[in-house]
Amino acid sequence: MLRPFDETKRKIARSWSTQIGLMDIYPDYKFVCSQAQQFEWLQEYYPNLFDKVKKKVAKGQFLPIGGVCII
């Protein structure tokens, strides 16, 4: 059974905030994401978390991959 989109959007915020926390604790920790739609939802529904992700992208800890991710 597929989860509803609303739950998926909440899961992104929970998962990615956990990753940001791990990056704060472990500076060498890196996380990769390739789903452009997740970035879109994060920017739309969780702008403060999106800003934190952008900072981690700039530091090279959060690694958006794929051909359509624009950060």
Side-chain angles (χ1 to χ4, degrees):
M1 179 174 211
L2 296 174
R3 77 171 73 115
F5 280 133
D6 288 340
E7 179 57 25
T8 301
K9 294 169 192 172
R10 288 188 293 271
K11 180 69 174 164
I12 294 161
R14 286 191 307 268
S15 295
W16 290 14
S17 64
T18 298
Q19 300 306 314
I20 296 294
L22 289 170
M23 291 173 201
D24 290 341
I25 295 168
Y26 306 103
D28 293 333
Y29 180 80
K30 297 182 187 323
F31 178 74
V32 175
C33 180
S34 64
Q35 301 298 315
Q37 183 61 59
Q38 292 179 353
F39 286 97
E40 190 77 26
W41 284 331
L42 197 72
Q43 184 178 20
E44 183 176 349
Y45 296 107
Y46 303 96
N48 291 335
L49 182 54
F50 184 76
D51 289 340
K52 291 179 183 180
V53 167
K54 287 194 311 187
K55 290 177 184 173
K56 295 300 183 180
V57 168
K59 288 184 169 185
Q61 287 181 284
F62 200 109
L63 307 168
I65 60 172
V68 293
C69 294
I70 300 172
I71 294 277

